[in-house]
Amino acid sequence: MTPIATPFFFYLLAGTMIIGGVLVITRRNAVHSALALIVALLAQAGMYLMLYAPFVAAVQIILYAGGIMVLFLFVIMLVNLERAQKERQFNRIWPVGLLSAFALGLLFVGVYSKGKTLLPSEMMQIPESSNTQEIARYLYGNYMFAFEIASLLLLVAIIGAVVMAKKRI
Amino acid sequence: MGEITVLHYLVVAAALFILGVIGVLTRRNVVIILMSIELILNAVNLNLVAFSRLYGLHGQVFSIFVITDAAAEAAVGLGILIAFFRNKETINVDEIDLLKW
Amino acid sequence: MQNHILSIILFTPLVGTFVLLLIPGENKNAIRWIANIFALLGFLISLPLVPMFWEKRFEVGFKFIEGAPSNWIPSIGAGYYLGIDGISFLLIMLTTLLGWISILSSWTAIENRVKEYYAWFLVLQTGMLGVFMALDFFLFFVFWEAMLVPMYLLIGIWGGPRKLYAAIKFFLYTLLGSVLMLLGIIFLYYHHHSVGNPYTFSIPALYQTAPGIEFKYAVWLFFAFFLGFAIKVPMFPFHTWLPDAHVEAPTAGSVILAGVLLKMGTYGFVRFSLPLFPAVVMHPKVRGWMIGLSIVGIIYGALVSLMQKDMKKLVAYSSVSHLGFCTLGIFALNPAGLSGSVLQQINHGISTGALFLIVGVLYERRHTREIAEYGGISNVMPVYATITMIMFLSSMGLPLLNGFVGEFTILQGTFLENWKWAAWAVPGVVLAAAYLLWLYQRVFFGTVTNPKNEKLHDLNPRELLCFAPLIIAAFWIGLFPKPFFEILEQPVNKLVTQIRPNYPTAATTVNASATPTAAAPSADSAKGTH
Amino acid sequence: MLGQVAQLFSPTDYLLSLPIVLLTIFALGILIIDLWVPAELKWFNAVTAFIGTLFSLYIVVKIHFFYLSAPSTANGLVGFAQSMLLDRFALYFYYLFLVATLIAILTSVRYLEIEREHHGEYYALMLFAVVGMMCMASAIDVVLLFIGLELMAISTYVLVGFLRRDRRSNEAALKYLLLGAFSSGIFAYGLSLLYGLTGSTNLFAINQRLGQLLQIHPKDPIAIIALITTATGLLFKIAAFPFHQWAPDAYEGAPTTITGFMSVAVKAAAWAMLIRVLFIGFAPLQNVWVPMMIFVSIATMTGANLAALTQTNTKRLLAYSSIAHVGYILLGVVAFGSGQNPAAADGLKGILIYLLVYTFMNLGAFAVIASLRRRDIIGDEIDDIAGLYSRAPFEAVLMLIFLLSLAGIPPMAGFLAKYFIFLSLIESQHYVLAAVAVLYALFGLYYYMKIASAMFMRQPLEREALPVSWGMRIALGITAFATIYIGILPEQFIRAVNWTLGLNQVSSVISQLK
Amino acid sequence: MLFLENIWLIPLLPAFGAALMFFFGRKLEKRTVSAVCVGAVAIAFIMSCGAVWQYTDYAHGTGTPYQKTMYTWLGSGDGHMAFPRSFDGAPSEFKAEAGFLLDPLSSIWLLFVTGVGMLIHIYSTGYMAHEGGYYRFFGYLNLFMFSMLTLILANNYVLLFVGWEGVGLCSYLLIGFYFHRHSATTAGNKAFIVNRIGDAGFLLGMFTIVWYFGTLKFTEVNALARSGHFQIGDHVLTAAALLMFVGACGKSAQIPLYVWLPDAMEGPTPVSALIHAATMVTAGVYMVARSNAIFVLAPTAMKTVAIVGALTAIFAASIGLVQNDIKRVLAYSTVSQLGYMFLALGVGAFAAGVFHVFTHAFFKALLFLGAGSVIHAMSGEQDMRNMGDLRARTPVTFWTMFIATLAIAGIPGLAGFFSKDEILWQTWASEGGAYRILWFVGYATAIMTAFYMFRLIYLTFYGQPRMSHEVEHHIHESPKSMTIPLVILAVCSVFAGYLGFPHSLKGSDRFGKFLEPVFAKEVKVLEAERPGQLAAGEKEEEHTSGTEYLLMFLSVAAAAAGWGMAHRSYSRAARDYREPIAASAPSLYNVLYNKWFVDEAYDYAFTGRRKVGDVRFGVLGLGDASAWTDTNIVDGTVNAAGWLTRATASVSKWWDKWIIDGLLVNGAAYITLPFAYIARLTEWGLVQWYALCMVIGLVGFVFYYVYR
């Protein structure tokens, strides 16, 4: 079944994401930023659904919103400083940073507007019912090795986090 | 409201990317900088998934890997941040000032 | 022996180094003995080369060829490929001789870190010999650069107060030249390949193809090489590393530096710049510049040394002037000029080496080189004064001593090309007399004014032994230079024919000049007049 | 179903993954054993790691011989469904990684004891990093590439910050992590665009599609953006201007042994990745990235050399010097990009040889500095190395050898590396570039000699002799020997590189790369 | 042919003596020293007499030179260092032999050099008896003999140049013999360097010859020059001749290079006699005479020679008039006599010039030795104002010196008369018109010569004693070893003249005849050179003797006049006598007394030993300048380059510091705010600064490649 009112939902979610993103980088209180990030991530999950990627959407919600952000919140609680909120939130070079970032954005927009014709316009019909199986097939087929390595990656992340965070090993 | 093409998603992703960059460049709070990096990675994911709409599932799979990576980076980054915080009692990035030219 | 003598000569000092490394650093005398034995050995081993070479002196091309092209690193075409002709033969003999003398001379001069001193010195010796023997550009470059390091350390560790500055200046300045030369070498190498030959660094092979490089590249190449050699020589604008290096270096270091290292520049000109880029060398503008720089060097160096208050600096600048004569002779590009130039390189090695030893003798006794500190030395050290006088005379080019032979031949050759050049260079001879005699007057004549100088003891046997061979050589070359000219004859004539094919390198009949022939003046001879 | 699995996992895959698997097993083993190893016997971990690396090395050698025996494998074996290509090129880098790791392990033991941070995790992480590198070297699928990169990167972040009580180490780790994550974000963004353009994650496929695409629209802006963002990630990893500034800080703050490891192995891996991505994936965009690389290399050499002149901290100085070396190696890329043989061949050859030589000389230099570490003295200021000769003549001479090699003075190996770079430049008619490069060699000489003259010509601040552990001695011995040996008798090494690149053979990696 | 075969021994014997002195001299005692050295020279003298005697019947009048080549000295021997000689492009060889040549010209020099040399050696044994460094002195003397003989016997220019430089060296060593005296060593340096300047010219001359003729052998050069390939006035030859004449000027103390000779009197008196009067200074004459073949083809050069000679003659004589140091008077007289010789050569009267050299050798040596013996007697006093009335106390010295004075003044019957008269006559005869001026110059010089010589005699031997008392009663006649040579020389200077007894006095000019083969052809060329004169010459032929007699009489008159004046003003010189010139023309006297201030001028202009204000000119000035340039400009550039690099390297650091300081110093925040902001930008170590750089780089690349 094709999604309904695609444009509306798209703009809704896009708006939510952008606003969330803006809030993330502007909030004084880190917790608020985290929450804003969660919102943005959820909105992005919605977009995944619109793009016929239910599995990714699920991963997004579970892993990101559920896992990573919790980690963030923990850390924020751990290192939360009253001081951090009182002093200024932006470093000295922020105007330049802002400027150059916007410049980059402008360039991107320009490029996309230039190169829009290059992308194939017709979309491929992806069977969403079997999406997960397909992904599994890919993961254990083409990307098996990468998948294994990814497990190592997570392992290393755990070790690293422990080594770094633990007072004495 | 016309037809939503991949390009729309690209633009959104680009916006997200830029937001992330801004965050990285301007904020002092390391945690928030890490979050901004997450934003960037999400932009990447959005790109990938959007493209996978054109080419098939590779993109989605790739995005899963990127998420994994994001998780790992976040974990390690926060760990290092804690170690740093122990020594320095701050999480402000411009107070990382021992090493300079 | 015949076919390995070069390697034997080349590696004897290195063996000495390794032997030294085995000896504990405490017993300095043992180290000194070993070092001197090996230095002397290096000299003695090189002596058999003389008769061997003498038989072959008129044979064409390189002799005692050893190894082969690209047998060392076949895949880039570098080879352990040795061989000598008259020019390198003379310089090799000079090197072994001076190496021995300077190691002998530093018996008492060096007190701390004796072991490494001698070790580095022997390494340096091998490096220098290698430069003169290599017939492979890669090998040549390896030796050329490898030799910088020991010299750098010799200056930097055992040098005077400003040793760090002098050492690094020496190293950087020389390297500046050689890196550009490296590019030049690589270009030749690639060009050789691009005209359809296998990659090789063999110098004889490159002699074949290099002249074919089109002019606009050849000029750049010439200057790439030129910079390297001109800094080494040193020619006029690039000479300022020399005084510093000399003043700071220990005596033996200066002797080797002046005696041998500087020759590498001139050797490079003769061995590489001339045969590789004949078109450029003969190009009037380029040649004019070379000659001009040489002449400026001659006069300028002499004038500057006239004004020095430090003996060693004076001698250093004087060698700028003398080397100016060498380059002048080289770019005269005729047999007289070239062979005179090579001979003058030998002479400079002998006399200036001796001069540095002379300064060293005083420095060892009084630890100052200020001319003003001295005066009336000939009252207390008559033998020393006599030797000094002889060496000064040889350095200022008095007939029957070596200096004259070289300078006369060079100027003669230059005059044959263009009388103006010779005319500009000749004042250098006068100035040489001026600064040397003035120095002699201030240091040796008069009465002893400075009480510190009253107790100076005259030369001891070891020092005499240092000077003896130099004096003998000076007189030999002065009185009977013919053998040297004969040794140089073949390579020099080969060079000239390579550069200017229509130049008569052999007089048809020995007494042609007695009976005037009605031949029309040839192009070359016409050049001289107008 | 099982049949499917069997068809998914072939003997080839087994062979190709074996070195990696072995390393992984040993890493995990260390992690577990470490729990029972008492504090004073921690060197046991080092031994385990060493043995593991040796095993892996053994397998690599076996693969090597298998390739030698089977001419059909001239282009290497493709495994894991086109995601991994273990060709000679990868094999070469495997050797580099493993040797570097061995030496790094040797140097680490005593250093860590002095730092009181001797934990098994250190070695485990090292091995994991190597796994990541191997993936980078042998991946032809961007996904695998990216994951490998991240595996290596994250392990390195932790290793850099491993001295948790040392503020400089923390800072270095944090900076490195922030910037690294940032750059890998950009990198991933570029990859995603690449995927979007070509619809594939396989480099060869990307190469073809991109080629077709550019046939239709030359100067496709999105392609260029993809290139530049990707290149940002690559250049960041090899620390080239303007993405190099993390390097000095990270190098200075990290444990010296890790600094050596990073400057050699990590960098080599990054180079392998860069070569794969640029030369295969972005080959069609050559006319874009060649000038870009020219600019980057000149800028890198300039910046790094100038910065190095004023350094008083040896680690930082060497960090800048290694950036400068990156500039040189990039020249090889430029020569390769110029396209025509023999310039391209020699350019690539130059890169490989440079990395080989660089591995030994730089590790050696850092090993010497690491050996200066003592309880109270960090030992990375130039004053600490002053008069080293009178305290430890042997090490001083070795250090001199390494420095000379870094400066590219023959007969040290460094000269050979520079030689090939210059040769390739001359062959590709980049004369000016070559001249600039050689002139920057002078800068290099100046600051290296600053260290040398400190060692030989200055008086030591304190005279006590340096205790040097056996591991350190072996490491120094190996590196110094290699540095001189490659310098004097490089023939078989050059041959090896030729074999690696399949030069003078039927099928050449180069032709396949382009 | 024993002596002729072994002619090479003649120079080698003294060389051997010298070597002996240098190596073992310190150990030998004085007797052995003098035995060896004097012996060596004596044998050399005997051998040369033998050689010349054998030569006469070897050549029997044809004057074909005898040559003996020892070995090839320069050049590789068998014609392999070749070059195309310029005038016809024929390939010829760069080569110089160690070969000896004996012909009339060289045999004359050979004789008087060895002869006078031997005498002076003998004399020195007495004179130096009480000096330190005895062996050194004789070593140098022998070395000098060796060089001088090489110079004379060389068969090519380079070998001649060897002797040429050798004698220069010896004069340097001997002038500086008393090396404790700063003035002595300075004089030595001056002599050597001035000679070097001349030598430079000589070198260039030689090069020109080689380049043109392709050879340096006298015989070949002469053969070519006379082969008629070159028309008279050939430019190259003129250049060559002039350049060689520069060399001659240096060696033979002609204007402008004469300045060294007077100072050279710092040396021991025998040295002055041997080197600076009799032998060495005549080397220039020898060289010019030797290359007469070239000179006659270059009339310009000839004229130059003549004019320079004449000028020098009168110039030096004028200075000699008022000098008080006995040796300086003689020195200047030497210079002026040399001027005569060059005048002779210049006008083509080679034989006359050589003849004057010959005679001059005897009486000038005698004068110097006499002066030496006077100084010896006066225990070192050299100022004639403090002498007087020595006639009785040192009779031998007096009489011998008196004879010499008569000779040099040109009193008939003595050597000087014949030679000088010959020169004057030739000067008058050879050139017509304006060149007669030269004759007048020579004539004036003759008067002056007579005057100052007799002034010397009167001041020294007549009048009242003006010396202090202790000096006075030390006065004694010198030992035999010194007086005997005086006597011998006196005899020579009486009779030497008769060898050249002119035809006009019914004599047979043996001397001229002997030299005939060397110069004859020149005379012809000279005739050819000016056919106009030829007619005149013919015309003169009949009344030639008349003019000659007239001139002869005039010159006698000149001598007499000089003598008379001297007698009037000095014969009764008391302690308080006044110089007549000083009385009449003090300014002129001052100028003359200060030698026309030439030395000062040179010091200001050329050497730069004196500063004008506080500016140096001349060589030392140049030296200062270039030394300054070297340290500040040439080396400065090098260091600046290095400095600049390091500066740029650390500029950001400074920038920061500088700005911050600026902030602190002037609190004008609103000005410095932007700067301070930039400063903060460049604050390294901030992570986000790195990130910013990355992004900027990204932007830059994208912009460049997409929107280019």
Side-chain angles (χ1 to χ4, degrees), chain C residues 316-519:
Chain C
Y317 275 108
S318 83
S319 54
V320 173
S321 173
H322 283 108
L323 267 300
F325 275 107
C326 292
T327 41
L328 184 67
I330 289 173
F331 285 97
L333 295 177
N334 54 20
L338 275 167
S339 42
S341 162
V342 179
L343 194 54
Q344 182 65 2
Q345 293 169 31
I346 307 297
N347 298 336
H348 177 264
I350 291 166
S351 41
T352 306
L355 292 195
F356 277 115
L357 284 178
I358 283 163
V359 177
V361 166
L362 272 187
Y363 184 74
E364 229 180 283
R365 284 159 173 65
R366 287 271 285 100
H367 294 290
T368 172
R369 290 184 297 253
E370 282 299 311
I371 296 172
E373 284 281 321
Y374 297 101
I377 295 298
S378 54
N379 297 307
V380 282
M381 307 171 68
V383 180
Y384 173 65
T386 319
I387 290 177
T388 312
M389 176 50 88
I390 293 174
M391 275 314 164
F392 275 21
L393 293 177
S394 101
S395 164
M396 78 177 75
L398 194 90
L400 297 190
L401 282 165
N402 53 357
F404 171 76
V405 179
E407 277 176 10
F408 183 84
T409 325
I410 288 172
L411 288 172
Q412 179 64 75
T414 320
F415 192 97
L416 293 175
E417 292 306 311
N418 183 340
W419 65 272
K420 296 197 199 67
W421 299 344
W424 278 109
V426 158
V429 182
V430 182
L431 288 170
Y435 60 73
L436 284 173
L437 290 183
W438 194 25
L439 174 64
Y440 197 85
Q441 183 190 13
R442 284 179 292 174
V443 174
F444 290 90
F445 285 153
T447 52
V448 183
T449 49
N450 188 339
K452 293 203 206 67
N453 294 336
E454 282 156 2
K455 294 281 167 294
L456 296 183
H457 56 280
D458 209 338
L459 297 182
N460 59 29
R462 180 180 56 79
E463 288 162 333
L464 276 176
L465 185 57
C466 292
F467 284 113
L470 294 175
I471 294 176
I472 293 168
F475 272 105
W476 179 18
I477 300 181
L479 287 168
F480 189 50
K482 189 177 166 198
F484 296 86
F485 281 113
E486 285 187 356
I487 286 170
L488 290 175
E489 178 181 305
Q490 189 277 328
V492 162
N493 286 340
K494 185 152 139 287
L495 266 175
V496 175
T497 36
Q498 271 170 331
I499 298 163
R500 39 213 297 196
N502 59 350
Y503 195 95
T505 51
T508 47
T509 69
V510 176
N511 266 356
S513 44
T515 59
T517 59

Side-chain angles (χ1 to χ4, degrees), chain C residues 114-393:
Chain C
V114 180
K115 181 173 168 181
E116 25 167 350
Y117 175 82
Y118 285 114
W120 285 125
F121 215 109
L122 290 169
V123 175
L124 176 64
Q125 187 76 354
T126 295
M128 296 183 301
L129 287 168
V131 167
F132 293 131
M133 290 179 186
L135 279 190
D136 179 285
F137 255 128
F138 199 86
L139 192 65
F140 166 80
F141 193 78
V142 167
F143 282 122
W144 174 276
E145 299 249 310
M147 168 207 70
L148 293 182
V149 182
M151 198 64 222
Y152 164 76
L153 290 169
L154 285 181
I155 297 175
I157 299 179
W158 295 273
R162 289 172 72 233
K163 56 190 185 181
L164 288 178
Y165 169 75
I168 197 67
K169 189 173 180 180
F170 162 78
F171 204 162
L172 280 182
Y173 218 145
T174 11
L175 199 72
L176 165 67
S178 52
V179 286
L180 288 178
M181 182 172 74
L182 172 63
L183 285 190
I185 294 175
I186 293 176
F187 188 99
L188 293 178
Y189 169 76
Y190 174 56
H191 173 269
H192 184 78
H193 170 74
S194 61
V195 295
N197 306 309
Y199 276 122
T200 177
F201 278 106
S202 144
I203 289 167
L206 293 182
Y207 277 165
Q208 306 308 320
T209 55
I213 299 172
E214 63 179 299
F215 191 77
K216 71 175 198 283
Y217 291 121
V219 173
W220 284 103
L221 287 176
F222 173 79
F223 279 107
F225 279 83
F226 165 76
L227 194 63
F229 300 143
I231 288 175
K232 201 78 162 180
V233 168
M235 282 175 87
F236 158 58
F238 310 111
H239 64 277
T240 51
W241 63 268
L242 185 73
D244 293 317
H246 270 314
V247 170
E248 300 308 327
T251 304
S254 312
V255 173
I256 282 295
L257 190 57
V260 183
L261 261 71
L262 304 192
K263 305 308 174 304
M264 295 181 179
T266 43
Y267 175 77
F269 277 124
V270 178
R271 168 73 74 242
F272 302 121
S273 300
L274 265 49
L276 287 176
F277 319 111
V280 186
V281 176
M282 276 308 286
H283 187 277
K285 209 174 239 111
V286 176
R287 197 174 167 201
W289 270 101
M290 297 301 120
I291 296 283
L293 286 183
S294 317
I295 291 171
V296 173
I298 293 170
I299 304 299
Y300 180 89
L303 283 174
V304 176
S305 54
L306 197 58
M307 283 298 131
Q308 295 307 318
K309 300 185 171 31
D310 177 322
M311 288 191 227
K312 222 170 174 184
K313 243 192 166 117
L314 191 151
V315 181
Y317 275 108
S318 83
S319 54
V320 173
S321 173
H322 283 108
L323 267 300
F325 275 107
C326 292
T327 41
L328 184 67
I330 289 173
F331 285 97
L333 295 177
N334 54 20
L338 275 167
S339 42
S341 162
V342 179
L343 194 54
Q344 182 65 2
Q345 293 169 31
I346 307 297
N347 298 336
H348 177 264
I350 291 166
S351 41
T352 306
L355 292 195
F356 277 115
L357 284 178
I358 283 163
V359 177
V361 166
L362 272 187
Y363 184 74
E364 229 180 283
R365 284 159 173 65
R366 287 271 285 100
H367 294 290
T368 172
R369 290 184 297 253
E370 282 299 311
I371 296 172
E373 284 281 321
Y374 297 101
I377 295 298
S378 54
N379 297 307
V380 282
M381 307 171 68
V383 180
Y384 173 65
T386 319
I387 290 177
T388 312
M389 176 50 88
I390 293 174
M391 275 314 164
F392 275 21
L393 293 177

Side-chain angles (χ1 to χ4, degrees), chain D residues 246-266:
Chain D
W246 61 272
D249 291 354
Y251 284 13
E252 185 184 348
T256 313
T257 49
I258 288 306
T259 314
F261 182 69
M262 279 168 72
S263 69
V264 168
V266 174

Side-chain angles (χ1 to χ4, degrees), chain E residues 381-607:
Chain E
E381 177 58 75
Q382 297 197 8
D383 192 336
M384 298 191 292
R385 282 169 300 186
N386 308 336
M387 298 180 183
D389 194 28
L390 299 178
R391 185 167 72 262
R393 294 198 184 78
T394 61
V396 186
T397 315
F398 166 66
W399 282 113
T400 47
M401 272 189 92
F402 188 71
I403 292 168
T405 313
L406 293 180
I408 193 174
I411 302 302
L414 288 86
F417 168 74
F418 297 105
S419 51
K420 189 189 287 181
D421 188 58
E422 180 72 10
I423 292 175
L424 284 173
W425 160 239
Q426 294 279 5
T427 317
W428 179 272
S430 64
E431 292 276 357
Y435 286 87
R436 296 275 157 92
I437 295 169
L438 291 179
W439 179 85
F440 287 107
V441 174
Y443 188 71
T445 314
I447 304 176
M448 292 186 187
T449 314
F451 177 80
Y452 63 68
M453 283 318 297
F454 280 104
R455 169 171 176 269
L456 183 147
I457 289 294
Y458 282 122
L459 283 180
T460 316
F461 294 101
Y462 289 84
Q464 288 98 1
R466 298 183 294 277
M467 69 289 288
S468 60
H469 286 294
E470 60 277 16
V471 176
E472 184 161 11
H473 62 72
H474 281 134
I475 297 176
H476 59 294
E477 180 57 277
S478 310
K480 287 272 174 296
S481 57
M482 289 165 72
T483 47
I484 290 169
L486 292 179
V487 175
I488 299 174
L489 283 169
V491 175
C492 293
S493 41
V494 174
F495 296 106
Y498 291 92
L499 285 177
F501 203 78
H503 305 283
S504 50
L505 299 179
K506 305 294 168 290
S508 58
D509 185 355
R510 284 229 190 63
F511 202 86
K513 214 180 245 69
F514 185 56
L515 287 172
E516 193 73 15
V518 188
F519 299 128
K521 307 177 189 59
E522 277 55 57
V523 184
K524 286 200 197 62
V525 181
L526 287 170
E527 307 297 337
E529 191 180 326
R530 29 175 206 281
Q533 247 68 36
L534 192 60
E538 298 296 341
K539 218 180 304 100
E540 275 174 19
E541 270 317 310
E542 55 269 16
H543 64 84
T544 175
S545 50
T547 348
E548 194 167 355
Y549 291 140
L550 176 61
L551 293 180
M552 214 177 276
F553 170 72
L554 283 179
S555 52
V556 176
W563 188 350
M565 285 189 275
H567 184 275
R568 223 180 82 258
S569 33
Y570 297 108
S571 55
R572 271 171 253 71
R575 278 189 188 283
D576 54 353
Y577 82 98
R578 305 249 358 264
E579 284 288 339
I581 309 176
S584 53
S587 55
L588 174 64
Y589 176 79
N590 196 15
V591 173
L592 292 182
Y593 187 75
N594 290 308
K595 318 171 198 109
W596 302 87
F597 296 101
V598 171
D599 284 345
E600 288 75 2
Y602 280 12
D603 280 353
Y604 282 119
F606 300 130
T607 67

